Amino acid sequence: MEYTVSDRTKETLDKITSLARTQEALRFIEEDAENILRKQIELTLIPAPTFHERAKAERLVEMFREEGLTDCHVDEIGNAVGVRRGTGGGKTVLVEAHIDTVFPLDTKLEIRRENGFVFCPGITDDTRGDACMLAVIRAMNAAGIETKGDIHFVGTVREEGIGAMGGMKHYTENHPGLDASISVDGSGYQGIVFNATGIQTYEISFLGEGGHASGAYGKIANPLGAAGRAIAKITDLVVPEDPRTTVAVTGAYAGSYESIHAIVDKAVITLNFRSTDQGELMKLKDRVIAAVEEACLEETERWGKNEITCEIKPLIDISAGSQDPHTPIVEASYEIAKYLGAECPTLEKGGATNCSRALEAGLPAVCLGAGPEIDSRCHLLEERFQEKDSHKMCQETLLLALACAGTEEAGSII
């Protein structure tokens, strides 16, 4: 896809990158790489599964304070917050990375460094984003850079899984003065997420009477039978490839080995469906609910006895969202990636990142950190961080933050 950046965006970025202090900050980031990696490792070794991020948040706040940020605190939901004040008259920018990981509290966290990689669960997703924020702050301080607008640096909680990007949602909803949002999630610099994939996750319970596997056979309908019918119907749904839409049953739970000879009184399935188009997401929601209701009716009619009912509990509800690909923050991200050496940066059509919550809040937003050049094995115990060129994502974040918050000499893109 041919993508052209506007002259205004190019001119502003040219002014920013031509400044001696900007170049000094870019050099500092590259030279400070080993020190930032040490901080990244320290944070990685603090367990922080979703809903258990407090210790990591407190340490990140201490690091913010050590780097001279103001208003450093852990907020009411658990986000780690620090603010770098501007000189005034500029735009207020959020730079954030999530601090939770997908690994349980008892996961063995050991650092292994070999062949240009650092291995450890959580080392990249998203502890690298947290370290990137520190790299940007340190570089701006070292180079004596002042922005016109304030920059909020936030380590957000509850991004993963059932957390549903809750920390980001809370922060954007409670800071209406924000003008733009930059999320950092990963370690690449060539991929730019600027749209949001809508996500719906449900827990569905099928309810009946239950009884002995033999004694009650034929006298009652089976909730597990209804669940099985629903799984088959949902699995058979045909969804569009474009816009990208998916649906999957992700879990099924009923009974126990202790009651292995019983017809259950309750069966539960979980399912997740997504689309980059909100209209398609809502159509799919209706189809999923219809499939569940049909399954209950069919199981009830099969036995002609008691009724199988269902309870549908939404667990995650994230809207699909989009913005014009020529929004200044998107153009600037693309141009900055090219400046740093990306031949053809990728503009992702969708994404499940904290950028989604920023778009819901009406902010121009991107998520940096993606890129086809890196396989970080995120969410696996063999997760790894690639050291080569890793400083470029930090440089990308720095330049975009300057472009959004604005400087006296170069102005702002927003």
Side-chain angles (χ1 to χ4, degrees), residues 93-376:
V93 179
L94 170 62
V95 176
E96 71 84 27
H98 70 87
I99 60 178
D100 58 326
T101 72
V102 301
F103 303 99
L105 280 169
D106 60 354
T107 302
K108 187 176 183 180
L109 300 177
E110 267 187 349
I111 298 295
R112 188 173 89 253
R113 197 168 178 179
E114 59 186 37
N115 300 322
F117 289 92
V118 184
F119 293 82
C120 191
I123 188 69
T124 293
D125 186 12
D126 186 27
T127 313
R128 181 56 183 178
D130 304 324
C132 177
M133 291 192 292
L134 295 170
V136 169
I137 298 163
R138 287 173 57 78
M140 292 174 72
N141 291 344
I145 290 175
E146 291 185 321
T147 56
K148 295 181 71 176
D150 295 345
I151 303 177
H152 293 217
F153 290 92
V154 181
T156 51
V157 295
R158 306 184 188 182
E159 192 267 356
E160 300 283 8
I162 207 69
M165 308 171 193
M168 182 66 162
K169 179 178 175 65
H170 178 86
Y171 201 81
T172 54
E173 287 180 347
N174 286 276
H175 293 81
L178 295 173
D179 295 299
S181 174
I182 303 167
S183 295
V184 187
D185 196 344
S187 58
Y189 72 99
Q190 298 189 36
I192 301 148
V193 176
F194 72 103
N195 285 335
T197 297
I199 303 174
Q200 298 270 315
T201 301
Y202 288 156
E203 176 187 274
I204 301 175
S205 299
F206 300 84
L207 308 171
E209 294 182 4
H212 193 279
S214 176
Y217 179 78
K219 301 176 183 178
I220 59 173
N222 191 337
L224 193 50
R229 294 174 191 272
I231 291 170
K233 290 176 183 293
I234 292 167
T235 302
D236 283 344
L237 290 175
V238 177
V239 296
E241 293 184 13
D242 187 16
R244 171 73 170 164
T245 304
T246 62
V247 58
V249 177
T250 56
Y253 317 91
S256 68
Y257 274 97
E258 290 75 20
S259 59
I260 200 167
H261 291 152
I263 295 172
V264 299
D265 61 0
K266 179 179 180 180
V268 178
I269 66 171
T270 54
L271 60 95
N272 173 262
F273 54 99
R274 309 181 182 211
S275 181
T276 56
D277 180 87
Q278 186 67 15
E280 287 295 338
L281 188 70
M282 292 300 96
K283 283 187 215 174
L284 184 52
K285 175 182 176 179
D286 291 341
R287 294 171 70 196
V288 165
I289 292 173
V292 169
E293 291 174 345
E294 286 172 7
C296 290
L297 181 61
E298 288 173 7
E299 183 66 19
T300 297
E301 291 180 345
R302 161 67 178 84
W303 300 101
K305 306 294 182 179
N306 63 303
E307 181 184 6
I308 297 295
T309 60
C310 64
E311 293 178 354
I312 300 175
K313 179 181 178 182
L315 299 178
I316 295 175
D317 182 0
I318 299 170
S319 299
S322 61
Q323 61 188 326
D324 190 314
H326 287 285
T327 301
I329 194 172
V330 181
E331 286 195 343
S333 301
Y334 185 92
E335 192 68 11
I336 290 167
K338 286 182 64 178
Y339 175 81
L340 293 173
E343 291 185 10
C344 187
T346 57
L347 297 177
E348 306 291 341
K349 290 184 178 180
T353 71
N354 271 340
C355 176
S356 302
R357 293 301 193 187
L359 292 174
E360 278 186 344
L363 295 172
V366 293
C367 180
L368 309 176
E373 75 279 13
I374 292 174
D375 177 12
S376 298

